[in-house]
Each structure stands twice: as C-alpha cells, then as structure tokens.
Amino acid sequence: MESEVVDSKFLESMAKRRPFMKRMFTVFISQEPKRIQDIRNALNDRDQERLRHLVHSLKGGAATIGVERVRACCLEMENASKAGDLEKAAELMDKLELEIRRAYAFMFKYLAEH
C-alpha cells in the first residue's frame, strides 16, 4: 500500500496543535521550492556533496511534518549521492518533484480548510 501524502498519525498527534501545524506547513511551502531548485542545480552542476547536503536537509524537514513519501525519496537520493551515482539521483528528481507537489497540494488544502 502506498503511504499517505502526510502521515495520518502525525495529523492526529497534532490535532490539538493546529495553529503550530499550520505555521509548519506555511514555512515548508514558502521555503522548500527554493531548496528543490537548489537540488536541481546541484544535480546539473554534478555537485555530489551539495546535493547530499540539500536532500539530507529536505529529508529532515519532510520527516518533521509527516511527509513520508518526500522523506523516502530524499533518502534514496541521499544514498545515491553518497554512492556517487548522480544518474540514479537525477532519475529520482522527477519522483521528488511529483511528491513535493502532492505535499504542497495537501498543505494548501489543509490551510484553506482549517
């Protein structure tokens, strides 16, 4: 079974802290598009160390707010960059961009409804 865009257990755990979660979603939406572009630039520049650092940072942010599929994709990209397999990392970029768009859509909808 494919995991949820945002982990339902995370959402339940944050139910009583909705204003805090809304702030976290807002920060994620406002900051991560630049990091996604930076990741793409690192791939294009074949900057393995910068790529590893950027996807590691995004992985942590995604894990913090329950965006599991983004986190998992970042982990795969981080492992590929550690192994020096930039072709594999590049293949994963489209998947990462798809999952991040799904996360943004979920967050925008959540913010509109709460």
Side-chain angles (χ1 to χ4, degrees):
M1 184 181 114
E2 193 172 28
S3 62
E4 305 152 298
V5 175
V6 176
D7 182 65
S8 59
K9 288 182 176 63
F10 170 77
L11 292 173
E12 288 169 25
S13 74
M14 295 298 288
K16 291 182 170 46
R17 301 181 68 197
R18 203 168 274 154
F20 178 67
M21 190 162 71
K22 287 173 71 174
R23 278 196 309 277
M24 290 190 339
F25 282 177
T26 301
V27 168
F28 191 85
I29 289 166
S30 68
Q31 292 182 354
E32 296 313 325
K34 179 175 185 333
R35 190 176 345 234
I36 293 294
Q37 185 58 52
D38 289 345
I39 290 170
R40 181 159 293 288
N41 291 343
L43 270 171
N44 291 339
D45 296 343
R46 301 192 61 75
D47 187 338
Q48 183 178 331
E49 188 54 34
R50 185 161 178 257
L51 174 63
R52 189 199 59 74
H53 172 76
L54 288 164
V55 294
H56 179 80
S57 297
L58 177 55
K59 180 182 75 175
T64 299
I65 59 172
V67 189
E68 176 55 28
R69 294 191 315 220
V70 171
R71 187 208 62 79
C73 191
C74 287
L75 177 61
E76 286 184 76
M77 286 183 78
E78 183 179 13
N79 289 338
S81 65
K82 280 181 186 173
D85 190 348
L86 295 179
E87 286 69 33
K88 175 72 172 170
E91 289 171 16
L92 291 163
M93 188 68 208
D94 289 339
K95 181 179 171 186
L96 175 61
E97 289 181 322
L98 172 65
E99 294 304 342
I100 204 90
R101 282 194 303 273
R102 287 177 173 161
Y104 294 155
F106 179 95
M107 291 175 194
F108 278 122
K109 184 174 189 280
Y110 182 91
L111 290 169
E113 293 174 354
H114 298 89

